[in-house]
Amino acid sequence: MHVIDTVRNWVYAASVKGRFQIWHRWSGVVLQAVLFLTPWIVVAGHPAFQIDIEGRRLYALGGVFTPTDTILLVLMGLFTAFGLFLFTAIYGRLWCGYACPQTVFLEEWVRPIELWLEGERGVRMARDKGPWTFDKTWRKLAKWTAFLAISIVVSMSFVSWFAGARALWTGAAEGWYYWVTAFFTALMFWDLAWFREQFCNFLCPYARFQGVLCDDASLVVSYDAARGEPRGTEGACIDCKKCVAVCPQGIDIRTGFQLECISCARCVDACQIVMDKKGQPNLITYNTLSGEQRIVRPRTVAYTTLLTVIAVGFFTVLFTRPTVDGLVSRTPGSTYTVDADGYIRNTYLLRLTSHQNEARTWAVKIDGLPADAQVIVPPITLDGAATTTVPLVVRVPAAELTAQSVPMQVVVDSGNGTLSMKATFLSAGG
Ligand code: SF4
Ligand code: SF4
Protein backbone atom coordinates (compact mmCIF):
# COMPACT_ATOMS: atom_id res chain seq x y z
CA MET A 1 0.00 0.00 0.00
CA HIS A 2 1.28 3.45 -0.91
CA VAL A 3 1.52 5.66 2.17
CA ILE A 4 1.55 9.43 1.62
CA ASP A 5 4.40 11.00 3.58
CA THR A 6 2.83 13.96 5.36
CA VAL A 7 6.04 15.05 7.10
CA ARG A 8 7.87 17.57 4.99
CA ASN A 9 11.63 17.35 4.76
CA TRP A 10 12.83 20.93 4.43
CA VAL A 11 15.00 21.23 1.32
CA TYR A 12 18.35 22.96 1.97
CA ALA A 13 19.57 23.28 -1.61
CA ALA A 14 23.34 23.86 -1.73
CA SER A 15 24.66 26.57 -4.06
CA VAL A 16 26.20 25.45 -7.32
CA LYS A 17 28.03 27.05 -10.22
CA GLY A 18 28.10 25.87 -13.80
CA ARG A 19 27.05 26.36 -17.38
CA PHE A 20 23.34 25.73 -16.81
CA GLN A 21 23.29 28.16 -13.87
CA ILE A 22 24.44 30.85 -16.31
CA TRP A 23 21.42 29.99 -18.47
CA HIS A 24 19.23 30.31 -15.37
CA ARG A 25 20.65 33.76 -14.71
CA TRP A 26 19.99 34.92 -18.27
CA SER A 27 16.45 33.56 -18.48
CA GLY A 28 15.76 35.11 -15.06
CA VAL A 29 17.04 38.51 -16.16
CA VAL A 30 15.06 38.50 -19.42
CA LEU A 31 11.79 37.28 -17.87
CA GLN A 32 11.97 39.69 -14.96
CA ALA A 33 12.70 42.53 -17.38
CA VAL A 34 9.45 41.58 -19.15
CA LEU A 35 7.54 41.61 -15.85
CA PHE A 36 9.00 44.81 -14.44
CA LEU A 37 9.37 46.90 -17.62
CA THR A 38 6.42 46.08 -19.90
CA PRO A 39 3.86 47.92 -17.73
CA TRP A 40 5.94 51.11 -18.23
CA ILE A 41 6.69 50.79 -21.96
CA VAL A 42 4.36 52.68 -24.28
CA VAL A 43 3.75 51.45 -27.84
CA ALA A 44 1.58 53.51 -30.23
CA GLY A 45 0.24 55.57 -27.32
CA HIS A 46 -0.80 52.58 -25.19
CA PRO A 47 0.94 50.29 -22.65
CA ALA A 48 2.99 47.54 -24.32
CA PHE A 49 0.74 45.12 -22.45
CA GLN A 50 -2.29 45.82 -20.31
CA ILE A 51 -5.58 44.07 -19.61
CA ASP A 52 -7.84 47.05 -18.91
CA ILE A 53 -10.73 45.35 -17.10
CA GLU A 54 -12.83 48.49 -16.60
CA GLY A 55 -12.33 49.68 -20.19
CA ARG A 56 -12.81 46.10 -21.44
CA ARG A 57 -9.73 46.37 -23.64
CA LEU A 58 -6.49 44.45 -24.09
CA TYR A 59 -3.38 46.32 -25.25
CA ALA A 60 -0.62 44.19 -26.73
CA LEU A 61 2.41 45.61 -28.58
CA GLY A 62 0.46 48.47 -30.16
CA GLY A 63 -2.64 46.38 -30.93
CA VAL A 64 -5.92 47.13 -29.18
CA PHE A 65 -8.44 44.33 -28.66
CA THR A 66 -12.01 44.72 -27.47
CA PRO A 67 -14.70 42.15 -26.52
CA THR A 68 -15.66 41.98 -30.22
CA ASP A 69 -12.22 40.41 -30.77
CA THR A 70 -13.04 37.43 -28.57
CA ILE A 71 -12.24 35.05 -31.44
CA LEU A 72 -8.72 36.52 -31.65
CA LEU A 73 -8.23 36.13 -27.92
CA VAL A 74 -9.48 32.52 -28.05
CA LEU A 75 -7.07 31.78 -30.93
CA MET A 76 -4.21 33.41 -28.99
CA GLY A 77 -5.04 31.26 -25.96
CA LEU A 78 -5.18 28.10 -28.08
CA PHE A 79 -1.87 28.97 -29.75
CA THR A 80 -0.21 29.48 -26.36
CA ALA A 81 -1.62 26.19 -25.01
CA PHE A 82 -0.64 24.07 -28.02
CA GLY A 83 2.72 25.88 -28.25
CA LEU A 84 3.41 24.79 -24.68
CA PHE A 85 2.26 21.23 -25.48
CA LEU A 86 4.69 21.08 -28.43
CA PHE A 87 7.53 22.58 -26.40
CA THR A 88 6.88 20.08 -23.58
CA ALA A 89 6.71 17.10 -25.96
CA ILE A 90 10.17 18.01 -27.28
CA TYR A 91 11.94 19.65 -24.36
CA GLY A 92 10.17 18.12 -21.36
CA ARG A 93 10.07 20.40 -18.34
CA LEU A 94 12.57 23.04 -19.49
CA TRP A 95 9.79 25.59 -18.90
CA CYS A 96 9.73 24.55 -15.22
CA GLY A 97 13.50 24.69 -14.90
CA TYR A 98 14.16 28.00 -16.61
CA ALA A 99 11.02 30.05 -17.26
CA CYS A 100 8.38 29.30 -14.62
CA PRO A 101 8.01 32.35 -12.33
CA GLN A 102 8.17 30.00 -9.33
CA THR A 103 11.64 28.79 -10.36
CA VAL A 104 12.83 32.22 -11.49
CA PHE A 105 12.00 33.89 -8.15
CA LEU A 106 13.42 31.00 -6.11
CA GLU A 107 16.64 30.89 -8.15
CA GLU A 108 17.17 34.62 -8.57
CA TRP A 109 16.08 35.89 -5.16
CA VAL A 110 15.37 33.27 -2.51
CA ARG A 111 18.52 31.17 -2.83
CA PRO A 112 20.99 34.10 -3.18
CA ILE A 113 19.39 35.91 -0.21
CA GLU A 114 19.47 32.77 1.95
CA LEU A 115 23.09 32.16 1.00
CA TRP A 116 23.99 35.76 1.84
CA LEU A 117 22.10 35.99 5.15
CA GLU A 118 22.13 32.42 6.45
CA GLY A 119 25.16 30.83 4.80
CA GLU A 120 25.68 27.57 2.93
CA ARG A 121 23.51 24.46 3.23
CA GLY A 122 25.42 22.92 6.17
CA VAL A 123 25.43 26.16 8.18
CA ARG A 124 21.71 26.69 7.55
CA MET A 125 20.87 23.13 8.59
CA ALA A 126 22.90 23.40 11.81
CA ARG A 127 21.43 26.80 12.74
CA ASP A 128 17.86 25.68 12.05
CA LYS A 129 18.35 22.67 14.35
CA GLY A 130 19.62 24.93 17.14
CA PRO A 131 17.70 27.20 19.56
CA TRP A 132 16.28 30.64 18.68
CA THR A 133 19.32 32.78 19.53
CA PHE A 134 19.67 36.48 18.69
CA ASP A 135 21.87 35.52 15.71
CA LYS A 136 19.26 33.14 14.29
CA THR A 137 16.38 35.58 14.93
CA TRP A 138 17.86 38.60 13.18
CA ARG A 139 18.92 36.54 10.20
CA LYS A 140 15.45 35.06 9.82
CA LEU A 141 13.77 38.46 10.24
CA ALA A 142 16.12 40.08 7.71
CA LYS A 143 15.44 37.27 5.23
CA TRP A 144 11.67 37.47 5.63
CA THR A 145 11.79 41.27 5.31
CA ALA A 146 13.66 40.86 2.02
CA PHE A 147 11.11 38.26 0.83
CA LEU A 148 8.26 40.62 1.76
CA ALA A 149 9.87 43.49 -0.19
CA ILE A 150 10.27 41.23 -3.25
CA SER A 151 6.67 40.03 -2.91
CA ILE A 152 5.39 43.63 -2.84
CA VAL A 153 7.41 44.71 -5.90
CA VAL A 154 6.48 41.60 -7.92
CA SER A 155 2.79 41.86 -7.00
CA MET A 156 2.71 45.56 -7.87
CA SER A 157 4.32 44.80 -11.24
CA PHE A 158 1.87 42.00 -11.92
CA VAL A 159 -1.19 44.08 -11.00
CA SER A 160 0.24 46.92 -13.16
CA TRP A 161 -0.63 44.74 -16.17
CA PHE A 162 -4.26 45.33 -15.21
CA ALA A 163 -4.41 48.68 -13.42
CA GLY A 164 -1.71 50.50 -15.42
CA ALA A 165 1.73 51.10 -13.90
CA ARG A 166 1.51 54.87 -13.47
CA ALA A 167 -1.91 54.76 -11.85
CA LEU A 168 -0.99 51.92 -9.49
CA TRP A 169 2.41 53.20 -8.38
CA THR A 170 1.15 56.78 -7.84
CA GLY A 171 -1.83 55.64 -5.77
CA ALA A 172 -4.34 56.75 -8.41
CA ALA A 173 -5.74 53.30 -9.23
CA GLU A 174 -9.10 52.03 -7.98
CA GLY A 175 -8.94 50.83 -4.35
CA TRP A 176 -9.69 47.20 -5.15
CA TYR A 177 -6.46 46.92 -7.16
CA TYR A 178 -4.54 47.54 -3.92
CA TRP A 179 -6.50 44.80 -2.16
CA VAL A 180 -5.65 42.42 -5.00
CA THR A 181 -1.98 43.48 -4.70
CA ALA A 182 -2.07 42.84 -0.94
CA PHE A 183 -3.58 39.39 -1.56
CA PHE A 184 -0.90 38.45 -4.12
CA THR A 185 1.82 39.84 -1.83
CA ALA A 186 0.65 37.62 1.03
CA LEU A 187 0.40 34.60 -1.27
CA MET A 188 3.86 35.15 -2.73
CA PHE A 189 5.47 35.77 0.66
CA TRP A 190 4.01 32.50 1.93
CA ASP A 191 5.33 30.73 -1.17
CA LEU A 192 8.86 32.20 -0.99
CA ALA A 193 9.19 31.82 2.75
CA TRP A 194 7.70 28.38 3.19
CA PHE A 195 5.70 26.61 0.46
CA ARG A 196 8.38 26.56 -2.31
CA GLU A 197 8.87 23.19 -4.05
CA GLN A 198 5.54 21.94 -2.70
CA PHE A 199 3.89 24.21 -5.27
CA CYS A 200 5.43 22.14 -8.11
CA ASN A 201 4.69 18.86 -6.39
CA PHE A 202 1.11 19.44 -5.22
CA LEU A 203 -0.48 22.52 -6.83
CA CYS A 204 0.90 23.22 -10.30
CA PRO A 205 -1.58 22.03 -12.98
CA TYR A 206 1.14 22.01 -15.67
CA ALA A 207 3.21 19.58 -13.62
CA ARG A 208 0.18 17.28 -13.33
CA PHE A 209 -0.04 17.01 -17.13
CA GLN A 210 3.58 16.01 -17.68
CA GLY A 211 2.76 12.29 -17.92
CA VAL A 212 0.38 12.94 -20.83
CA LEU A 213 2.45 15.60 -22.61
CA CYS A 214 5.81 13.80 -22.55
CA ASP A 215 6.92 10.46 -23.92
CA ASP A 216 10.20 8.55 -23.90
CA ALA A 217 11.64 10.84 -26.60
CA SER A 218 11.12 14.03 -24.53
CA LEU A 219 14.13 15.69 -22.94
CA VAL A 220 14.75 14.80 -19.27
CA VAL A 221 17.64 15.03 -16.86
CA SER A 222 18.97 11.53 -16.39
CA TYR A 223 21.75 9.66 -14.62
CA ASP A 224 23.93 7.20 -16.50
CA ALA A 225 23.49 4.20 -14.20
CA ALA A 226 25.39 1.92 -16.58
CA ARG A 227 28.58 3.95 -16.02
CA GLY A 228 27.84 5.20 -12.52
CA GLU A 229 26.90 1.96 -10.72
CA PRO A 230 27.86 0.33 -8.51
CA ARG A 231 28.47 3.69 -6.95
CA GLY A 232 31.38 4.26 -4.60
CA THR A 233 33.21 1.14 -5.81
CA GLU A 234 33.80 0.12 -9.46
CA GLY A 235 31.22 2.57 -10.86
CA ALA A 236 32.17 6.10 -11.93
CA CYS A 237 29.86 7.65 -9.29
CA ILE A 238 31.90 8.40 -6.18
CA ASP A 239 28.69 8.76 -4.12
CA CYS A 240 29.61 12.30 -3.08
CA LYS A 241 25.86 13.16 -3.07
CA LYS A 242 26.56 16.64 -4.44
CA CYS A 243 23.80 16.10 -7.03
CA VAL A 244 21.35 15.43 -4.18
CA ALA A 245 22.54 18.35 -2.06
CA VAL A 246 21.93 20.94 -4.81
CA CYS A 247 18.52 19.63 -5.87
CA PRO A 248 15.77 22.19 -5.11
CA GLN A 249 13.16 19.43 -5.28
CA GLY A 250 14.94 17.29 -2.69
CA ILE A 251 15.27 14.24 -4.94
CA ASP A 252 18.07 11.86 -5.84
CA ILE A 253 18.16 11.65 -9.64
CA ARG A 254 20.31 8.52 -9.40
CA THR A 255 17.24 6.50 -8.42
CA GLY A 256 15.75 7.12 -11.88
CA PHE A 257 13.38 9.60 -13.53
CA GLN A 258 10.97 11.20 -11.07
CA LEU A 259 7.93 13.35 -11.69
CA GLU A 260 9.20 15.90 -9.13
CA CYS A 261 12.23 16.71 -11.32
CA ILE A 262 11.87 20.19 -12.85
CA SER A 263 14.79 19.80 -15.30
CA CYS A 264 16.72 22.65 -13.72
CA ALA A 265 20.10 20.90 -14.26
CA ARG A 266 21.55 21.97 -10.92
CA CYS A 267 22.54 18.31 -10.44
CA VAL A 268 24.11 18.31 -13.92
CA ASP A 269 26.35 21.25 -12.98
CA ALA A 270 27.17 19.66 -9.60
CA CYS A 271 28.26 16.36 -11.15
CA GLN A 272 30.14 18.18 -13.90
CA ILE A 273 32.47 19.69 -11.28
CA VAL A 274 33.09 16.24 -9.77
CA MET A 275 33.60 14.47 -13.11
CA ASP A 276 35.86 17.26 -14.44
CA LYS A 277 38.19 16.55 -11.54
CA LYS A 278 38.15 12.85 -12.46
CA GLY A 279 38.62 13.66 -16.13
CA GLN A 280 35.47 11.72 -17.05
CA PRO A 281 32.26 12.65 -18.87
CA ASN A 282 29.35 13.86 -16.74
CA LEU A 283 27.15 11.12 -15.25
CA ILE A 284 24.10 13.37 -15.23
CA THR A 285 23.01 14.93 -18.51
CA TYR A 286 20.03 16.12 -20.51
CA ASN A 287 18.88 13.02 -22.36
CA THR A 288 15.70 11.16 -23.26
CA LEU A 289 14.31 8.04 -21.59
CA SER A 290 14.70 6.10 -24.86
CA GLY A 291 18.21 7.47 -25.36
CA GLU A 292 17.41 8.90 -28.82
CA GLN A 293 16.25 12.41 -29.61
CA ARG A 294 13.44 12.28 -32.17
CA ILE A 295 11.78 15.62 -32.74
CA VAL A 296 9.51 14.37 -35.55
CA ARG A 297 6.97 12.14 -33.83
CA PRO A 298 3.20 11.71 -34.31
CA ARG A 299 2.39 14.05 -31.41
CA THR A 300 4.84 16.79 -32.46
CA VAL A 301 3.52 16.64 -36.04
CA ALA A 302 -0.07 16.87 -34.73
CA TYR A 303 0.75 19.87 -32.49
CA THR A 304 2.68 21.63 -35.29
CA THR A 305 -0.22 21.13 -37.71
CA LEU A 306 -2.69 22.51 -35.17
CA LEU A 307 -0.43 25.48 -34.44
CA THR A 308 -0.15 26.26 -38.15
CA VAL A 309 -3.94 26.15 -38.59
CA ILE A 310 -4.47 28.36 -35.52
CA ALA A 311 -1.81 30.87 -36.67
CA VAL A 312 -3.32 31.09 -40.17
CA GLY A 313 -6.78 31.58 -38.64
CA PHE A 314 -5.49 34.27 -36.26
CA PHE A 315 -3.76 36.35 -38.93
CA THR A 316 -6.69 35.96 -41.35
CA VAL A 317 -9.10 37.30 -38.73
CA LEU A 318 -6.63 40.01 -37.64
CA PHE A 319 -6.01 41.41 -41.10
CA THR A 320 -9.59 41.14 -42.36
CA ARG A 321 -11.42 42.46 -39.30
CA PRO A 322 -13.25 45.73 -39.96
CA THR A 323 -11.86 48.97 -38.54
CA VAL A 324 -15.16 49.40 -36.77
CA ASP A 325 -17.79 47.05 -35.33
CA GLY A 326 -21.31 48.09 -34.51
CA LEU A 327 -24.77 47.05 -33.54
CA VAL A 328 -28.13 48.81 -33.92
CA SER A 329 -30.86 47.72 -31.58
CA ARG A 330 -34.28 49.14 -30.94
CA THR A 331 -34.65 50.84 -27.55
CA PRO A 332 -36.01 48.06 -25.29
CA GLY A 333 -39.84 47.92 -25.32
CA SER A 334 -40.30 50.62 -27.95
CA THR A 335 -41.97 50.48 -31.38
CA TYR A 336 -42.77 53.97 -32.72
CA THR A 337 -44.30 57.26 -31.61
CA VAL A 338 -46.19 59.90 -33.58
CA ASP A 339 -44.72 63.39 -33.16
CA ALA A 340 -46.89 66.55 -33.08
CA ASP A 341 -45.61 67.58 -36.53
CA GLY A 342 -46.89 64.37 -38.13
CA TYR A 343 -43.54 62.58 -38.23
CA ILE A 344 -43.18 58.97 -37.06
CA ARG A 345 -40.32 58.54 -34.62
CA ASN A 346 -38.28 55.33 -34.05
CA THR A 347 -35.58 55.25 -31.37
CA TYR A 348 -32.56 52.94 -31.41
CA LEU A 349 -29.34 52.39 -29.53
CA LEU A 350 -26.23 52.49 -31.72
CA ARG A 351 -23.14 50.76 -30.28
CA LEU A 352 -19.82 51.35 -32.04
CA THR A 353 -16.39 49.83 -31.39
CA SER A 354 -13.33 51.28 -33.10
CA HIS A 355 -10.26 49.08 -33.62
CA GLN A 356 -8.11 52.02 -34.74
CA ASN A 357 -5.56 53.74 -32.56
CA GLU A 358 -6.31 57.26 -33.90
CA ALA A 359 -9.17 59.42 -32.68
CA ARG A 360 -12.01 59.55 -35.26
CA THR A 361 -15.32 61.33 -35.66
CA TRP A 362 -18.10 59.18 -37.06
CA ALA A 363 -20.92 60.36 -39.35
CA VAL A 364 -24.23 58.45 -39.41
CA LYS A 365 -26.68 58.29 -42.30
CA ILE A 366 -29.68 56.09 -43.14
CA ASP A 367 -30.25 54.36 -46.48
CA GLY A 368 -33.56 52.87 -47.61
CA LEU A 369 -35.96 55.49 -46.19
CA PRO A 370 -37.72 58.40 -47.97
CA ALA A 371 -35.44 61.31 -48.85
CA ASP A 372 -36.79 63.66 -46.15
CA ALA A 373 -36.22 61.19 -43.30
CA GLN A 374 -34.41 62.87 -40.41
CA VAL A 375 -31.54 61.36 -38.41
CA ILE A 376 -30.84 62.72 -34.93
CA VAL A 377 -27.69 61.45 -33.29
CA PRO A 378 -25.15 63.13 -30.97
CA PRO A 379 -21.62 63.71 -32.33
CA ILE A 380 -19.62 60.46 -32.11
CA THR A 381 -15.90 60.81 -31.53
CA LEU A 382 -13.95 57.77 -30.44
CA ASP A 383 -10.57 58.60 -28.92
CA GLY A 384 -8.67 55.65 -30.35
CA ALA A 385 -9.84 52.08 -29.89
CA ALA A 386 -12.94 52.22 -27.73
CA THR A 387 -16.63 51.36 -27.55
CA THR A 388 -19.49 53.81 -27.20
CA THR A 389 -23.27 53.58 -27.23
CA VAL A 390 -25.40 56.54 -28.36
CA PRO A 391 -29.16 57.05 -28.88
CA LEU A 392 -30.19 57.20 -32.54
CA VAL A 393 -33.52 58.79 -33.48
CA VAL A 394 -35.00 58.44 -37.00
CA ARG A 395 -38.06 60.47 -38.07
CA VAL A 396 -40.07 59.99 -41.25
CA PRO A 397 -43.23 61.91 -42.36
CA ALA A 398 -46.19 59.56 -41.76
CA ALA A 399 -47.60 60.33 -45.20
CA GLU A 400 -44.54 58.82 -46.88
CA LEU A 401 -44.77 55.44 -45.15
CA THR A 402 -46.68 52.77 -47.05
CA ALA A 403 -45.70 49.68 -45.02
CA GLN A 404 -45.72 48.91 -41.31
CA SER A 405 -42.10 47.73 -41.39
CA VAL A 406 -39.53 49.29 -43.73
CA PRO A 407 -36.04 47.76 -43.93
CA MET A 408 -33.21 50.30 -43.72
CA GLN A 409 -29.43 50.47 -43.42
CA VAL A 410 -27.62 52.48 -40.74
CA VAL A 411 -24.31 53.54 -42.29
CA VAL A 412 -21.47 54.91 -40.15
CA ASP A 413 -18.47 56.51 -41.84
CA SER A 414 -15.20 57.65 -40.28
CA GLY A 415 -13.64 58.80 -43.53
CA ASN A 416 -11.35 55.77 -43.22
CA GLY A 417 -13.88 52.97 -43.18
CA THR A 418 -17.64 52.49 -43.30
CA LEU A 419 -19.97 50.05 -41.65
CA SER A 420 -23.51 49.24 -42.75
CA MET A 421 -25.98 47.68 -40.31
CA LYS A 422 -29.47 46.38 -40.97
CA ALA A 423 -32.49 47.71 -39.04
CA THR A 424 -36.21 48.27 -39.59
CA PHE A 425 -38.40 51.35 -39.30
CA LEU A 426 -41.83 50.69 -37.74
CA SER A 427 -45.07 52.66 -38.19
CA ALA A 428 -48.83 52.14 -38.59
CA GLY A 429 -48.15 51.88 -42.31
CA GLY A 430 -50.26 53.30 -45.16
S1 SF4 B 1 17.04 16.11 -10.12
FE1 SF4 B 1 18.42 17.62 -11.00
S2 SF4 B 1 17.26 18.55 -12.69
FE2 SF4 B 1 15.80 17.45 -11.40
S3 SF4 B 1 15.05 19.00 -9.98
FE3 SF4 B 1 16.77 17.98 -8.96
S4 SF4 B 1 18.53 19.25 -9.48
FE4 SF4 B 1 16.90 19.84 -10.89
S1 SF4 C 1 27.40 14.30 -8.18
FE1 SF4 C 1 27.92 12.71 -9.67
S2 SF4 C 1 29.51 11.56 -8.61
FE2 SF4 C 1 28.49 12.73 -7.01
S3 SF4 C 1 26.90 11.39 -6.24
FE3 SF4 C 1 25.95 12.59 -7.87
S4 SF4 C 1 26.18 11.31 -9.69
FE4 SF4 C 1 27.60 10.50 -8.16
Side-chain angles (χ1 to χ4, degrees), residues 236-249:
C237 173
I238 60 169
D239 205 16
C240 64
K241 296 191 174 58
K242 286 202 164 57
C243 52
V244 184
V246 297
C247 179
Q249 296 295 96

Side-chain angles (χ1 to χ4, degrees), residues 223-224 228-229 231-232 236-244 252-254 267-268 270-272 274-275 278 282-284:
Y223 165 71
D224 186 349
E229 302 296 314
R231 66 186 73 155
C237 173
I238 60 169
D239 205 16
C240 64
K241 296 191 174 58
K242 286 202 164 57
C243 52
V244 184
D252 184 347
I253 195 67
R254 297 173 303 167
C267 55
V268 179
C271 194
Q272 186 72 57
V274 179
M275 288 298 126
K278 287 185 73 183
N282 201 339
L283 283 170
I284 308 175

Side-chain angles (χ1 to χ4, degrees), residues 37-225:
L37 298 183
T38 47
W40 297 95
I41 296 172
V42 173
V43 180
H46 297 297
F49 181 78
Q50 187 186 343
I51 300 170
D52 178 358
I53 295 172
E54 283 145 355
R56 303 179 75 209
R57 272 172 279 181
L58 167 75
Y59 301 105
L61 301 174
V64 188
F65 303 92
T66 62
T68 57
D69 295 315
T70 305
I71 181 71
L72 285 175
L73 300 179
V74 169
L75 288 171
M76 262 194 250
L78 284 174
F79 191 87
T80 309
F82 282 107
L84 194 59
F85 292 173
L86 176 65
F87 183 85
T88 309
I90 299 172
Y91 298 111
R93 290 184 73 175
L94 280 198
W95 160 271
C96 302
Y98 295 85
C100 172
Q102 172 83 1
T103 307
V104 167
F105 296 131
L106 286 175
E107 287 296 322
E108 299 307 313
W109 295 104
V110 169
R111 287 190 231 294
I113 287 170
E114 270 185 351
L115 183 67
W116 179 50
L117 286 171
E118 296 190 303
E120 246 314 345
R121 169 183 154 94
V123 182
R124 294 203 301 273
M125 290 169 88
R127 190 183 292 112
D128 280 2
K129 273 202 195 111
W132 277 90
T133 59
F134 173 74
D135 180 62
K136 179 171 170 174
T137 307
W138 83 256
R139 286 175 195 278
K140 292 277 181 210
L141 286 178
K143 179 178 86 167
W144 291 330
T145 306
F147 290 172
L148 183 62
I150 294 161
S151 303
I152 292 171
V153 174
V154 169
S155 300
M156 286 288 280
S157 297
F158 176 66
V159 176
S160 293
W161 279 348
F162 298 85
R166 275 167 196 80
L168 191 72
W169 286 86
T170 56
E174 292 283 332
W176 65 272
Y177 282 119
Y178 296 98
W179 286 110
V180 174
T181 308
F183 175 74
F184 280 128
T185 300
L187 210 60
M188 185 164 177
F189 176 75
W190 171 74
D191 184 41
L192 298 188
W194 185 75
F195 201 57
R196 301 191 183 179
E197 79 285 350
Q198 298 182 105
F199 183 87
C200 314
N201 296 339
F202 302 124
L203 285 190
C204 177
Y206 176 60
R208 303 274 78 74
F209 283 112
Q210 293 306 311
V212 202
L213 298 176
C214 296
D215 55 27
D216 62 2
S218 306
L219 205 65
V220 290
V221 168
S222 66
Y223 165 71
D224 186 349

Side-chain angles (χ1 to χ4, degrees), residues 6 10 35 54 65 74 101 104 118 152 164 176 207-208 233 241 259 265 269 280 306 333 368 411 418-419:
T6 50
W10 187 268
L35 171 67
E54 283 145 355
F65 303 92
V74 169
V104 167
E118 296 190 303
I152 292 171
W176 65 272
R208 303 274 78 74
T233 52
K241 296 191 174 58
L259 276 177
D269 281 335
Q280 291 185 13
L306 267 169
V411 182
T418 59
L419 177 72

Side-chain angles (χ1 to χ4, degrees), residues 86 89-90 215 294-305:
L86 176 65
I90 299 172
D215 55 27
R294 275 182 300 115
I295 288 182
V296 182
R297 320 196 294 270
R299 70 171 65 205
T300 56
V301 172
Y303 290 146
T304 309
T305 309

